Amino acid sequence: MKTTIATVKNEFRLTEWSAQIQAQKSSGLTGHKWCEENGVNVNTVYLSFVPIISLLICFLFLAFNLFIL
């Protein structure tokens, strides 16, 4: 499998998000409060998850054959 720059960037971004999520969970703070205290733009966090959520929804539709054509 050929590794591209985009693949490496996506893997890095996912690793970074995972670390931030773990840090927020272990802090005991709400997501919004953790973002404020760590200088993370809340809107950026939410927008970052839109593609992931969209893929999850598509997967669920495919898995349960829910597409209506």
Side-chain angles (χ1 to χ4, degrees), residues 24 27-39 42:
Q24 182 271 319
S27 74
L29 299 172
T30 64
H32 193 312
K33 187 69 175 170
W34 185 89
C35 286
E36 282 180 353
E37 290 189 6
N38 289 278
V42 176

Side-chain angles (χ1 to χ4, degrees), residues 13 16-17 20 35 39-51:
R13 192 174 309 134
E16 191 175 70
W17 289 340
Q20 288 180 341
C35 286
V40 176
N41 184 330
V42 176
N43 293 327
T44 301
V45 173
Y46 290 126
L47 289 175
S48 298
F49 286 105
V50 169

